[in-house]
Structure formats: C-alpha cells, structure tokens
Amino acid sequence: MQFVLASHNKKKMAELSAIVSSLGIEIIPLPEGAPEPEENGKTFEENAIIKAKSAAEFTGLPALADDSGLCVDALDGAPGIYSARYCEGTDEDRNAFLLKNMQDKENRACRFVCAIACVLADGETLTVRGECEGTLLRENHGVGGFGYDPLFYVEKYGCTFGELPAEVKNTISHRANALNKLKAILKDKVN
C-alpha cells in the first residue's frame, strides 16, 4: 500500500519509510508541483492535518504529514511550531539563532515534538503525537540527522541526535514515538 508523504524533505522521508515499512506501507514523495499549503494552524496537530489533507487531495492517495519542532522550556516553548521558520536561512543559521537566544539561559530542558496526521483513502483523518525529552547543548555536536539534531542531547545515550546512528534515532525519536502509535492504529486499517 502506498502513502504519499506531504514533504519534500528526503531525510524525513527516509526516516518515516524505515519506521513504517514493516506494515507493508511504501512511502512515496510528494510530486513536484504539489501545492504548499499555508501552515496557519496553532498546534503541531493542526499543521500536520493541513499538510496531509492537501497532499491527499492533490494525489488521490492516502497521505502522511508530520509537523515537528523543538520546544525549549527557557523560551516558553519556542521555536515550537515555528521551528523550520525560526529565522531565515539554513539549519545552521537556525541553530546559531537558537544558541544566541539561549546565551543567558541556565535551564536547557527541551523536547522534540512530532504530530503526525494520516488521511486514509476513505477520508478518515488520524492524528498522533510523540515527544522525546532532551537537553539543549551550547554548541553543535555531530553531523547526522537534520535541523536541531546536533544541539539535542539525549542523556540516556550520552550524545546528540546528530551523533546517534540513524537506526538508534529511529527507535527513540519524537517521530518514532508518534509513528509507533500510528503503526498500532494503522495495523488494523491496512490489513
């Protein structure tokens, strides 16, 4: 069974594919020319639903979308739903901007949050949420993953998401936690 991923992010596609492939679900990329819906929701869940519905309508296929972000306690949950748009530029620019905003903060507690929306062939919409707790470092460590991964330290493993092998990250991440919840729901629906 094919699901279209409402994203052009190749790293996100690989991560999602690795997690849901055991259900016999093949994740295919969003076709070029697909509309980019305005993410004007106020929560991760609302933005994920907006993206999944847009992809399903455009392709006629069941669709998956996630909306993920880093929530930092000392910044009242920022960057949150604006994580990918926290500042102009690249992942490195956003990491530098976050570190600048955290210069005088002692509390480094943070969490990655992921909401996944799934629009099934019959139009039913499912949402799940996963989180992963961590600590925000004061400098980048590692080159793996993407986004804020080089700053996100996981105490249990003694390293950042940027240093963890993908197969380990894919079992503990916020996205993995959300996808495992979704897998449990989809297991009955796709078989």
Side-chain angles (χ1 to χ4, degrees):
M1 171 177 256
Q2 289 186 328
F3 279 71
V4 65
L5 175 62
S7 173
H8 294 290
N9 184 321
K10 290 183 171 113
K11 290 182 178 180
K12 189 179 288 189
M13 187 167 149
E15 196 172 304
L16 287 167
S17 293
I19 295 169
V20 298
S21 63
S22 66
L23 288 177
I25 294 174
E26 177 190 0
I27 303 292
I28 62 170
L30 188 63
E32 292 300 322
E36 293 284 338
E38 184 180 355
E39 294 180 44
N40 55 7
K42 301 215 182 315
T43 65
F44 291 110
E45 287 82 0
E46 288 175 6
N47 285 331
I49 290 169
I50 289 167
K51 293 185 278 190
K53 284 186 174 180
S54 176
E57 287 170 10
F58 183 77
T59 63
L61 293 170
L64 285 175
D66 90 315
D67 198 54
S68 304
L70 181 67
C71 299
V72 180
D73 290 357
L75 298 176
D76 297 322
I81 62 171
Y82 303 105
S83 291
R85 307 178 297 278
Y86 194 46
C87 75
E88 299 261 340
T90 64
D91 286 348
E92 292 79 18
D93 296 327
R94 283 181 283 284
N95 286 343
F97 185 64
L98 177 59
L99 289 175
K100 180 177 175 237
N101 290 335
M102 287 293 292
Q103 276 179 336
D104 61 344
K105 311 284 190 215
E106 287 303 314
N107 180 3
R108 311 300 282 191
C110 59
R111 74 210 36 78
F112 269 123
V113 175
C114 174
I116 296 178
C118 176
V119 176
L120 300 174
D122 64 3
E124 181 182 3
T125 302
L126 311 167
T127 59
V128 293
R129 181 183 183 108
E131 297 187 7
C132 184
E133 298 289 328
T135 303
L136 190 72
L137 295 184
R138 296 179 186 275
E139 61 186 30
N140 291 330
H141 287 267
V143 295
F146 56 95
Y148 301 100
D149 286 358
L151 294 173
F152 188 79
Y153 181 82
V154 183
E155 187 172 338
K156 179 179 177 181
Y157 290 89
C159 63
T160 67
F161 269 7
E163 297 169 302
L164 273 177
E167 58 274 6
V168 175
K169 180 187 171 195
N170 289 349
T171 64
I172 66 164
S173 75
H174 53 306
R175 194 166 289 112
N177 291 332
L179 275 170
N180 285 329
K181 290 177 184 178
L182 184 64
K183 273 173 65 172
I185 296 168
L186 285 180
K187 196 182 207 178
D188 297 328
K189 297 191 178 284
V190 298
N191 291 331

